[in-house]
Amino acid sequence: MNGISSGLAAAASLGMSLTHRQHCQGVTFVTAHAQDHTEPDWGTLAATGTTLVIYMGMSRIDSLTAALLRHLPTHTPAAIVQWASTPQERRLVSTLAKLAGTSRAPGFGSPGIILVGDAVAEAEVPPIETRIRA
């Protein structure tokens, strides 16, 4: 049965708009790597100014955030939603510079959706804090 995309569920869980007018004019859904293990052109994606919704990135979070930090400010809002829209859902809101480190909280890992961009500043979860949805 088809359902809502986990990227959209993650944004809904955070109570944020992926295309908040004060922050961006679009959203880009992307996987962190192709089948041949190559990564997207993070510089080009960062330059779009859109909210990035990144699938399959938890195992590459260190290299992914390092690549994005070459093109985006360290204070860029970022978040992870693990198991979006399920009873086990966990959320973490941070900055791009701190995301890899804070994602090492006990139990965090795949499956997780990574969201990066100024629109993430509208998330309704306190920064650098994980919340388990009751």
Side-chain angles (χ1 to χ4, degrees), residues 7 19-20 22 26 33 37 42 54 61 64 88 96 104 108:
T19 57
H20 195 287
Q22 291 179 312
H33 59 90
H37 302 287
W42 295 114
I54 305 167
I61 196 158
L64 183 155
Q88 297 83 22
L96 187 56
R104 291 186 182 83
F108 252 92

Side-chain angles (χ1 to χ4, degrees), residues 31-40 42 56 59-60 63:
T31 58
H33 59 90
Q35 189 170 357
D36 65 0
H37 302 287
T38 58
E39 293 189 8
W42 295 114
M56 298 182 286
S59 66
R60 296 171 179 250
S63 65

Side-chain angles (χ1 to χ4, degrees), residues 76-99:
T76 301
I80 297 170
V81 179
Q82 183 180 26
W83 297 309
S85 77
T86 71
Q88 297 83 22
E89 178 180 284
R90 296 183 73 194
R91 297 173 280 174
L92 180 140
V93 175
S94 186
T95 63
L96 187 56
K98 296 178 182 177
L99 191 66

Side-chain angles (χ1 to χ4, degrees), residues 8-9 12 15 24 26 33 45 49 65 67 70 73 94 98 100 103 118-120 131-132:
L8 297 173
C24 67
H33 59 90
L45 290 170
T65 54
R70 288 193 285 276
S94 186
K98 296 178 182 177
S103 72
D118 290 338
V120 179
R131 293 286 172 108
I132 299 174

Side-chain angles (χ1 to χ4, degrees), residues 108-133:
F108 252 92
S110 293
I113 298 295
I114 302 167
L115 300 100
V116 178
D118 290 338
V120 179
E122 302 298 324
E124 296 175 354
V125 176
I128 311 175
E129 185 173 318
T130 60
R131 293 286 172 108
I132 299 174
R133 191 166 107 182

